[in-house]
Amino acid sequence: MNALNRAEYFRDRLAVTADAYRGIDQARCQALFAQFRGDNTWQVSALSVLRIWGLLNESKLTSEPGLAYIGKKSRERWQERIQPRLRTWNNSQYQFARSIFFR
């Protein structure tokens, strides 16, 4: 699968995920989070990673000083993975991705 196909696959998957998030029951979520707090457990970092996709066109993200602590090979792989999105996504697609994770 080439980079452009991966970007299209991710975009389609993101749309399906967005539909799922729109159907979330807030009361059940609040109860679950209360249980997490009570059990002293944490959510997995996948949500933090996924929310980044909506911010790829933000220079604040891509010029983050903390990136200096990430190895050169990792930064290069990351740049390679995000380039198709940077070239093909328009502003409404970034806004859509942001709307899923930022409320």
Side-chain angles (χ1 to χ4, degrees):
M1 184 182 287
N2 68 33
L4 184 56
N5 288 342
R6 283 195 305 267
E8 291 169 351
Y9 171 78
F10 176 77
R11 183 190 63 221
D12 293 344
R13 210 174 90 207
L14 189 59
V16 170
T17 302
D19 287 340
Y21 282 120
R22 287 187 192 105
I24 290 175
D25 180 329
Q26 293 296 320
R28 288 182 69 192
C29 287
Q30 293 303 320
L32 178 63
F33 294 141
Q35 183 177 348
F36 282 169
R37 282 190 299 275
D39 294 341
N40 204 22
T41 56
W42 294 82
Q43 71 183 34
V44 296
S45 60
L47 294 177
S48 299
V49 171
L50 289 174
R51 73 188 293 218
I52 294 299
W53 293 112
L55 301 173
L56 291 179
N57 66 339
E58 295 284 332
S59 62
K60 199 173 7 174
L61 171 72
T62 55
S63 62
E64 174 69 35
L67 291 175
Y69 299 102
I70 297 175
K72 183 179 177 184
K73 278 189 167 185
S74 293
R75 286 194 315 269
E76 288 171 352
R77 279 195 310 264
W78 183 61
Q79 285 296 328
E80 188 178 291
R81 288 186 67 206
I82 68 170
Q83 286 308 311
R85 288 164 192 82
L86 292 175
R87 286 192 301 267
T88 60
W89 279 23
N90 59 40
N91 190 51
S92 66
Q93 288 168 308
Y94 286 109
Q95 292 302 324
F96 174 70
R98 287 183 188 125
S99 73
I100 295 170
F101 298 103
F102 300 94
R103 295 179 188 235

